[in-house]
Structure formats: structure tokens, C-alpha cells
Amino acid sequence: MAAKILVLGSVNGKLETTFQKIATLHQKQSFTFAIVTGNLFSVDQDQESLSQLLNGKIQVPLSTYFTVGTNPLPEQVVERVDKGEDVCGNLHFLGKRSITNTSDGIRIVALGGSLDKTIVGLSKEQHLPWHTAEDAKILRGANTTDILLTTCWPSGVFTGSSKPSTSENQAIIPSTDEVADLCSALKPRYHFAAAPADFFFEREPFFHPTSDPESDQTLVTRFISLAAYGNTAKAKAMYAFNIVPGELATSIPTGSTISPFLRRNNPKKRRAPTDDQPDQSTNGHHGGRRVRRKRERSPPPGPDRCFFCLSNTQVDTHMICSIGEDSYVTTAKGPLPSPDTFASSGLTFPGHQLIIPLPHEPTMRSMGQDAEKAYAEMVRFKEAMQAMVSAQSKYKLGAVVFEISRQSGIHLHWQFIPISAELIRKGLVSAGFKVEAENRKYPPFKEAALGSGVDETSDYFRVWIWSDDNDAGIQSEELVMRFNSSLRFDLQFGRKVMAKLLGLEDRFYWQDVVQSVADETADVEKFKEAIKPWDFTL
């Protein structure tokens, strides 16, 4: 069923007149929901109208979504947003960096605020009017969206267009490569950005060529920028359209151009995960909770609810250690080793890290053309951490890295845990994994070199075992256990083996050893300092 959506330009604090107008239109047209681009509130917001909005005297007639524009949100609004509340009835703050799936099945990806290149990493405050390059980058992990809502324009959007805006307007348009890359990656059906002055702009639709010649998908984006509501130039400030969730264009619209962003990364084609249980809760990631088995199959979490997706606003950003182009490293919540486990070997933090690809996919194979690039960067992170652990411990420690690749999974990731290099050289680590598999009557491990794993059609558990004793050199082993999807594979298998090898059975359940935010932050800072000589993202 088609959703009928109303989009407005910046409201700039004209709350009463705007929502009265929306109510009149809604009564005639029965819109599904509305979206406000740019600024809902003004810098010097009238307190009386704001109070009337918050106490319900100004009524919002239908579900209305907004993000932060170039103005900070009023303090009273921030208070409600920070509590996880709606601003008022029917008025929903999307967040500055977010992925939202509406009840009607429409996905909205939002990136509010202007780009601030002086800030490194992810921005923390969702209500301030700026974002970082990392904020834009991690939203690519959403894979796809129906609507992309940004404050900044994508740079290069006029390329190939026969109806560019005036030179005066172009001169004041805040455009960035980061938003262009995001639009190119997500291939939204509609991309709305606020107009910085009293003008309206709608580009010709542009299509994204597919890398699969046999694909019948036609991905078309419409870029639209609306003037502020009530502008004196009477430029178009409202736009209505119908959209059917999941329905792609069957042909390229007349007058379309090719994507103006082809010079940029050619992003992936999305494949939806099909898991019935969110297994991220069992792998010690930042955020998350224990999920009990349900009788009914529950829908898989999308990127907005996945605790491996940085676009999830609930992610504990203080645990992120390094972000690359296609993957990132975080410290594990409830790490298996404690900060003291390897102190005698020169490591003063747990060293239990996660290497996570940005795409929200359950396997490398499902990442399609992005798999090799993501895998290569994840290997770089793995090798950097191996070198760091070896150097910090003066070759006393090696490392184990393991992954679970299941088509019914949620979001692929690798777990990195240091371990005594002596145990590795004696063969006790590989034996530990093999014996545990035998005891559980799992398929046997085999030595293999899977590479990225894009050619693997079966589910599998893979473990890399690595050490460097400086004299004899590097010793490494890659073991793979392939298994049928019908096998009830224990998602804690890798952690359980490592707990036995390290003598840390009492720390097996990550929920029982969660640290305070202060301790987590301290461990992250120690890790960052230790990895610095090998961190290729700096």
C-alpha cells in the first residue's frame, strides 16, 4: 500500500501557522506522515509558542519527523529528547545520525547539522547542529533507504543536470563530499536537503548503474531541496509524494541522467539478513542485552537496532577505538580478560577487541562486491593488533581471532583476544578448539585458507591462531569448521574455548563482567595509545 508523505522546508519557529496548514492539508489528503527538513525551531525561538507546542495547545495533526538543522534544538526540547520521549504528541525527533523504520515500512536515514571537520570520530550529542565525517561514513552501513534527509547538499549534484540553480544560490549552498558519498552508497529513492535561502530546487531524477548485468533492479534517486515555509519569495516550501515500501522503479524515468556521483565509490547492492534471533547480544559488543529464546520468530534487527551498526544511536561510542573506510574496531563490553589478566606480560588492558565491517550483513558473501575491500581492511586491523600485542608483551603474547559466519546471522564480526604465545607454540590452543568441537559432536576443524570467504556457501566457524617468538619467527594457523545451517551452533563457542585456555571460566558470561563507563573509557584510551604506531587510520 502506498504511503502519502508531506515534506516541508525549514519551519524556523513558525510552529502554530505551520501545523495549522499541515492540519488543513491532512484533512483533505490524509497523509501517512510528514517530514520537516532543515530547522524546525529558530535560534531565538519564541518561548510562548514553544510552550504551547510542548503542552499540546499547538497540536501536531499527524506523525511528523524532523532532525537537527543548522540551529541547535531548544533546551526544553533537548530535555525531552534526552529522556527518549517525543517532543510532543505526533512530533518525533529522528536524531542527528539515525536510521528509522516507520510503522508503514518506510526507511528514513537522517544526517542532520553541518559538517565539522575539526572533530575526529563520531559526534556524541544528537541535538547539536553539526556532524562529523565519521557520522556520514558509518551511515553507509544502512545499505539502502527510501528517504535520505540531510542538512548539507551532496557536492557534485549539479553534474550532468540541465537545470542548475543560479550562481548566487550555488555560492551559498553547503555541500560536502561526505553527503555525496552517502547518497551514492545508499541510493535513496528520495533525497531531501534544506535550501539555505528562499529558493526551491528539484534535480532531474538520476539512476545508479548496477554492476550486475542480469539484475532487473532500477535504482533511481530524486534530489529535492525546499525553501523555508512562509518565505517572502514564495518559493516552493512543500512537496507531497506517494511511495510504496520496497517497490523499485521498473524503468528509468524520462529525462533522467546517470548518477552525478559515479566518480565516487561504487557501493554495494543490499541483501537483507534473514536471522530470527539477534545474535549480537551474545558476543560481548558495546551495548546490547541478553536475548532469551522465543517461541515466535522475531524479525531481525535492522541497522537502527543492531548493536554492531554505528548508525544505531544507542551505541556506546566511548568504546570505539578506530574507524576505517569499510570497518572499525571497538573494545568488547564485558571482556573475557580483565585489565590485569596480561599485566605480567606488559599488557595493561584486556585486549579483547571486535573488528566489525560497516555493512549490515551476516556474511562476507552477502556483502557482494564490497566483501573483498572490507575483508582486506579487517585483515589490516587484525595484523596491526597482532603486532601491537606481540611488541607490548615482548613476544610473550600471541592472539586468537575468530568469526561465526552464518547466513541466518545479523552482522558479521571478528573477535580478537590475546593469549600466551607459549600455549600457541605447544599446540594447546588449536587442540583446545578441536577438543571442544569433538566434545560437542560438531563437525571437525580443517586447516584452510578461505580468504574473504565470499565463495563459501556453507555456514562456518573460523579461527586464526598467531604468535611471533622473535627467534623462530611467526607461527600462524587458520582452522575452519563448516557446518549445516540446521546445526544448533553455540554462539558462545569461541569465548568458551578461550575462557578454558586462559583459566577464566568465571568470566565466561560477558553480562557478569561488564565494567563501568569510566573503566571502559580508560581501557579504550590505553588501547589507542598502544596501537598508535600501527593504526593506519591516523
Side-chain angles (χ1 to χ4, degrees):
M1 182 176 177
K4 184 181 291 187
I5 302 169
L6 176 66
V7 184
L8 293 85
S10 289
V11 171
N12 291 326
K14 300 172 183 175
L15 304 174
E16 186 172 8
T17 56
T18 300
F19 287 118
Q20 283 177 350
K21 180 65 173 179
I22 292 176
T24 301
L25 294 173
H26 180 50
Q27 191 172 15
K28 297 177 181 177
Q29 300 292 332
S30 296
F31 291 106
T32 307
F33 60 83
I35 297 174
V36 174
T37 65
N39 296 305
L40 176 59
F41 305 100
S42 63
V43 175
D44 53 350
Q45 178 64 51
D46 173 53
Q47 290 300 308
E48 183 179 352
S49 63
L50 178 59
S51 296
Q52 290 178 340
L53 177 72
L54 296 178
N55 63 28
K57 289 185 178 179
I58 294 178
Q59 293 191 344
V60 181
L62 77 162
S63 290
T64 302
Y65 299 93
F66 73 101
T67 184
V68 64
T70 55
N71 300 333
L73 299 183
E75 207 171 295
Q76 301 97 311
V77 173
V78 173
E79 289 177 2
R80 295 197 177 186
V81 167
D82 284 347
K83 293 177 184 177
E85 301 174 356
D86 286 335
V87 177
C88 62
N90 280 337
L91 188 55
H92 316 294
F93 179 55
L94 291 168
K96 177 169 60 182
R97 179 194 72 239
S98 68
I99 302 169
T100 301
N101 292 310
T102 72
S103 59
D104 310 284
I106 305 298
R107 171 174 285 188
I108 306 171
V109 171
L111 180 65
S114 303
L115 175 65
D116 189 336
K117 293 187 175 181
T118 66
I119 302 176
V120 178
L122 295 172
S123 60
K124 293 181 172 57
E125 299 84 358
Q126 285 286 303
H127 55 274
L128 294 179
W130 56 75
H131 65 262
T132 68
E134 300 295 351
D135 288 329
K137 183 189 297 182
I138 56 89
L139 281 175
R140 299 181 212 166
N143 298 345
T144 188
T145 188
D146 295 303
I147 300 171
L148 175 60
L149 178 61
T150 63
T151 301
C152 295
W153 286 39
S155 60
V157 72
F158 294 112
T159 301
S161 174
S162 62
K163 49 178 184 179
S165 185
T166 65
S167 57
E168 291 83 2
N169 287 338
Q170 287 194 43
I172 62 173
I173 291 171
S175 62
T176 70
D177 291 346
E178 286 76 7
V179 171
D181 289 338
L182 180 61
C183 181
S184 177
L186 298 183
K187 302 179 178 67
R189 296 163 72 181
Y190 288 86
H191 181 177
F192 292 96
D198 293 343
F199 68 88
F200 167 79
F201 176 76
E202 181 174 9
R203 193 196 186 282
E204 303 96 327
F206 55 89
F207 61 92
H208 306 268
T210 175
S211 60
D212 182 0
E214 298 182 1
S215 174
D216 58 356
Q217 288 188 332
T218 303
L219 302 173
V220 177
T221 296
R222 288 171 169 81
F223 175 78
I224 299 161
S225 183
L226 294 161
Y229 179 76
N231 67 86
T232 56
K234 296 186 178 180
K236 187 171 182 177
M238 306 180 83
Y239 185 94
F241 65 99
N242 294 326
I243 186 171
V244 178
E247 182 179 81
L248 297 177
T250 55
S251 61
I252 297 174
T254 303
S256 298
T257 75
I258 197 166
S259 169
F261 313 125
L262 284 185
R263 60 186 173 83
R264 306 184 179 281
N265 297 335
N266 187 18
K268 65 191 161 302
K269 178 175 69 176
R270 181 191 185 212
R271 280 185 60 171
T274 57
D275 196 273
D276 66 326
Q277 269 193 309
D279 61 353
Q280 70 266 27
S281 65
T282 66
N283 287 286
H285 187 50
H286 54 284
R289 58 188 176 83
R290 187 178 300 186
V291 177
R292 300 186 184 280
R293 187 175 298 276
K294 299 179 180 180
R295 293 181 183 177
E296 299 291 332
R297 289 172 64 93
S298 57
D304 56 323
R305 293 187 295 120
C306 171
F307 285 100
F308 294 110
C309 283
L310 296 182
S311 50
N312 181 350
T313 57
Q314 300 302 311
V315 162
D316 291 330
T317 56
H318 70 280
M319 302 185 74
I320 297 167
C321 302
S322 183
I323 302 177
E325 287 294 322
D326 303 280
S327 59
Y328 73 101
V329 174
T330 177
T331 190
K333 182 171 282 291
L336 178 59
S338 74
D340 301 323
T341 299
F342 305 116
S344 61
S345 298
L347 207 63
T348 59
F349 50 89
H352 187 171
Q353 312 297 135
L354 306 183
I355 308 173
I356 306 170
L358 293 181
H360 179 72
E361 298 290 354
T363 68
M364 281 289 177
R365 183 180 178 86
S366 63
M367 290 182 203
Q369 62 188 18
D370 283 346
E372 296 295 347
K373 193 164 177 277
Y375 173 76
E377 187 174 81
M378 293 172 74
V379 169
R380 289 186 72 186
F381 275 129
K382 175 171 71 76
E383 291 175 345
M385 289 191 287
Q386 287 171 173
M388 178 271 291
V389 164
S390 185
Q392 286 283 117
S393 67
K394 293 181 170 54
Y395 305 103
K396 293 178 184 176
L397 296 175
V400 168
V401 180
F402 57 86
E403 69 166 322
I404 303 173
S405 176
R406 301 185 309 149
Q407 189 54 48
S408 63
I410 296 294
H411 194 139
L412 179 75
H413 61 282
W414 298 352
Q415 296 200 47
F416 177 100
I417 303 176
I419 196 167
S420 164
E422 185 177 0
L423 288 179
I424 293 175
R425 287 193 291 271
K426 289 181 178 179
L428 297 178
V429 175
S430 59
F433 279 94
K434 292 174 181 177
V435 168
E436 186 69 24
E438 271 183 43
N439 292 340
R440 291 167 176 258
K441 295 182 171 52
Y442 284 170
F445 277 103
K446 295 181 180 180
E447 288 194 32
L450 296 188
S452 66
V454 293
D455 296 325
E456 287 296 312
T457 56
S458 66
D459 293 345
Y460 64 84
F461 177 92
R462 167 164 56 177
V463 57
W464 291 274
I465 304 168
W466 181 96
S467 70
D468 181 1
D469 70 358
N470 195 31
D471 295 324
I474 292 174
Q475 176 179 327
S476 64
E477 189 175 12
E478 180 178 340
L479 300 175
V480 177
M481 176 206 302
R482 295 179 176 88
F483 54 88
N484 189 282
S485 59
S486 62
L487 176 70
R488 295 183 62 180
F489 187 81
D490 183 0
L491 301 180
Q492 294 283 13
F493 176 80
R495 183 168 176 132
K496 175 164 280 190
V497 173
M498 291 299 292
K500 290 181 178 179
L501 290 169
L502 291 168
L504 297 173
E505 288 94 337
D506 59 331
R507 295 181 63 85
F508 170 64
Y509 292 105
W510 70 266
Q511 297 94 332
D512 296 337
V513 291
V514 173
Q515 301 168 284
S516 67
V517 171
D519 287 341
E520 289 172 341
T521 302
D523 286 341
V524 167
E525 292 307 313
K526 290 177 183 177
F527 173 84
K528 285 181 177 179
E529 186 61 32
I531 198 68
K532 192 176 292 183
W534 297 274
D535 190 346
F536 56 88
T537 68
L538 298 178

